[in-house]
Amino acid sequence: SPLLFLLLLDGAGQNAENMFWYLGSRADHTKVAVLAPNSREQTWDAIQGGFGPDVEFLNRALARVFDTVSIDPARLAIGGFSDGASYGISLGLINGDLFKRVIGFSPGFVVYRTPYGQPTVFISHGTGDRILPINSCGLTVAMELKRGGYQTKFREFDGGHEIPESIAREGLSWIAASNPT
């Protein structure tokens, strides 16, 4: 049967291996197929001013996945951690007709462009995050999205700039749920 799919983007200075380390075996338990490509440079291009080579690269990577793996087109998600969360949320809102679910682990901000569709959003953030403080980052993003009419679940946790195991599990279970709230 077609798989649930998550395009998961790494934080600045990180790589795909970091993302799979955060997820551990939880993606297997929730039956979510995960693609975690590396950004072309130190971080995602929109973080530094505009969408460009990274979007082209992600489009090619997605095309390859769709050609080789049976993915349920109605159950696509995009997200990430830190800068990858900011980029994932931004792309998810722009491509909300493609990505029905958007997940941000400790996002900093959103790069707003013309939105399409109405994806549902899950955001988590640590109360002790010293790199991207919760009040000016994740909480602000969640409130902006709710004000913009997006169904948004905000999950704060006791911790820093990280994805604790319980939060990774909750996020993946949220993606796997048929009607996430």
Side-chain angles (χ1 to χ4, degrees):
S1 65
L3 295 168
L4 299 163
F5 177 78
L6 170 62
L7 177 59
L8 190 63
L9 309 177
D10 55 53
Q14 294 188 321
N15 58 39
E17 288 76 28
N18 296 114
M19 300 316 296
F20 286 110
W21 182 83
Y22 285 129
L23 295 182
S25 63
R26 285 164 288 287
D28 297 337
H29 298 306
T30 53
K31 307 277 191 273
V32 176
V34 178
L35 174 65
N38 295 319
S39 58
R40 303 301 76 210
E41 299 293 334
Q42 190 69 5
T43 193
W44 304 96
D45 52 23
I47 306 303
Q48 298 161 332
F51 295 101
D54 282 323
V55 169
E56 295 165 22
F57 171 71
L58 293 175
N59 284 339
R60 287 193 307 275
L62 285 173
R64 182 74 186 264
V65 167
F66 297 148
D67 284 347
T68 56
V69 181
S70 178
I71 299 294
D72 182 346
R75 314 260 328 258
L76 301 178
I78 187 172
F81 172 66
S82 191
D83 273 2
S86 298
Y87 202 72
I89 293 169
S90 303
L91 284 178
L93 299 182
I94 294 167
N95 298 285
D97 51 341
L98 176 65
F99 298 108
K100 306 301 185 211
R101 292 170 175 78
V102 176
I103 189 162
F105 298 108
S106 306
F109 56 90
V110 175
V111 178
Y112 290 99
R113 296 291 188 270
T114 304
Y116 290 98
Q118 198 70 23
T120 56
V121 184
F122 176 99
I123 294 175
S124 69
H125 215 109
T127 55
D129 192 331
R130 290 194 172 97
I131 295 170
L132 295 174
I134 186 172
N135 289 337
S136 59
C137 294
L139 184 58
T140 297
V141 168
M143 291 186 332
E144 287 174 356
L145 293 175
K146 283 180 182 177
R147 274 196 305 271
Y150 292 96
Q151 186 179 350
T152 304
K153 176 174 184 165
F154 182 70
R155 178 74 164 76
E156 68 178 46
F157 60 89
D158 186 22
H161 196 63
E162 60 185 317
I163 310 174
E165 182 178 335
S166 61
I167 297 297
R169 188 178 324 111
E170 185 177 342
L172 288 169
S173 295
W174 175 85
I175 288 170
S178 56
N179 292 304
T181 54

